Amino acid sequence: MERRVAEQLRSALGPLGLEAHAFKVGWYNAVLQPAFHLPYPDDTLAFVILSTPSMFDKALKPFVNKERLKIIRDPVDQCISHHLSRVKEKFPDQRVDIMFDYEMLPSRKPKFLAQTAAHVAGAAYYYQRKDVKLDPWGKKKIFGVCIHPKYGGWFAIRGLLLFPAIQVPFLEQPAPVDCVNTEEKRIELLEQFNFHWQDGRYRDIIEVKERYSEEQKAYFATPPAERFRLLGLSQ
């Protein structure tokens, strides 16, 4: 069942520059405090959805051209929401719950921790302070970052698809690719991400197969309120 669902998702999302990676809710809940647990049985099938560099041209720009008059909030969020809702329609006999990376609970906690989901699904390796043996940062707060084995930091985690009626007790957990595998490189990655994230150098910590186009870089470097203008939209 999981394989059939995965194939349907890949055929629907692949042409849009989106990836779907399967995981069990229990893998995610096992590494987090109860306050962050997903409220489903451990064997519930879920998928984490990533956008790759080609999403900008394959999904966002066509969506904006077609839905120009209906875009009233962040165009990327609206584009992803549109496409995941359409994917949901491909499973008329299944309940499919969708969570987006920007959604918050009433407590102001995120609905899910995106980087943890990507790591447990084997989609991208979540490098954290605990992955460095000789910690050089003292009392500084250091945030972790996911690196994709193909796209480095040139990708984003967009949401989850959960299938509450599909239980997959025998699903095997894939390990994420540890592509930043030296102490020196991990320190460099976390330094760049935490203290120089604006210049985007952390994204190229490994040799990547594809990165954002200059147009896409300019779009994401622009303050959100001004991005509408770049896409030819009135705010």
Side-chain angles (χ1 to χ4, degrees), residues 2 21-32 38 40-48 116-117 119-122 160-163 166-174:
E2 175 271 330
H21 296 264
F23 69 98
K24 287 202 304 188
V25 164
W27 302 345
Y28 174 92
N29 287 349
V31 297
L32 292 171
L38 294 172
Y40 300 86
D42 281 353
D43 289 335
T44 303
L45 177 63
F47 291 84
V48 63
T116 300
H119 186 93
V120 300
L160 300 183
L161 295 176
L162 298 116
F163 292 79
I166 302 179
Q167 301 296 299
V168 284
F170 303 112
L171 189 64
E172 291 186 17
Q173 185 171 11

